[in-house]
Amino acid sequence: YDQGIGDNGLPVKIYRQDLNEARQTIPNGYKRYCTLYSERYHKKSGPVVVSPDEIQLVSVKDEVKDSLLMALPVFGFWTALAVSFSNLYNERYGGNFLDALFRT
């Protein structure tokens, strides 16, 4: 939600339904806050109210993309290593890729 001081001097909250609305501009004189709740961590204390300046919110889509970008080079390295070992085995002892990997 966005919170600021109204014309009458009382606090005014403009509620947002989801994080996609958070991309909208914040009205002048207002500050944006997020209410976060995890049953695991906030069961006793209740939800936590923070400003986006205090934390960095990341979408699940961005997390998955970053994880894939980090995992693909490692996967490529191990795949290349397995292929090179199987080629070396095939040159020495004959057979195919599966023979080299599983000694069938």
Side-chain angles (χ1 to χ4, degrees):
Y1 60 89
D2 297 335
Q3 183 172 335
I5 305 296
D7 294 336
N8 56 3
L10 296 174
V12 175
K13 289 184 181 178
I14 301 173
Y15 289 97
R16 304 292 180 191
Q17 294 299 318
D18 57 25
L19 291 177
N20 289 334
E21 283 189 60
R23 297 175 195 262
Q24 296 174 355
T25 59
I26 302 170
N28 282 341
Y30 283 72
K31 185 166 176 151
R32 179 146 299 158
Y33 294 96
C34 299
T35 304
L36 304 175
Y37 179 78
S38 169
E39 194 171 309
R40 180 177 182 183
Y41 299 108
H42 305 117
K43 198 174 215 178
K44 294 179 183 176
S45 65
V48 177
V49 178
V50 294
S51 68
D53 301 337
E54 298 175 52
I55 60 170
Q56 182 179 1
L57 295 177
V58 179
S59 69
V60 174
K61 178 182 176 183
D62 291 338
E63 284 291 327
V64 169
K65 186 171 72 172
D66 289 344
S67 297
L68 286 175
L69 289 175
M70 200 150 111
L72 285 177
V74 175
F75 177 73
F77 169 77
W78 287 111
T79 303
L81 187 65
V83 167
S84 67
F85 282 159
S86 92
N87 287 339
L88 182 64
Y89 181 87
N90 290 341
E91 287 175 6
R92 286 188 183 172
Y93 305 109
N96 59 23
F97 183 77
L98 293 177
D99 291 338
L101 290 181
F102 302 112
R103 293 186 180 205
T104 57

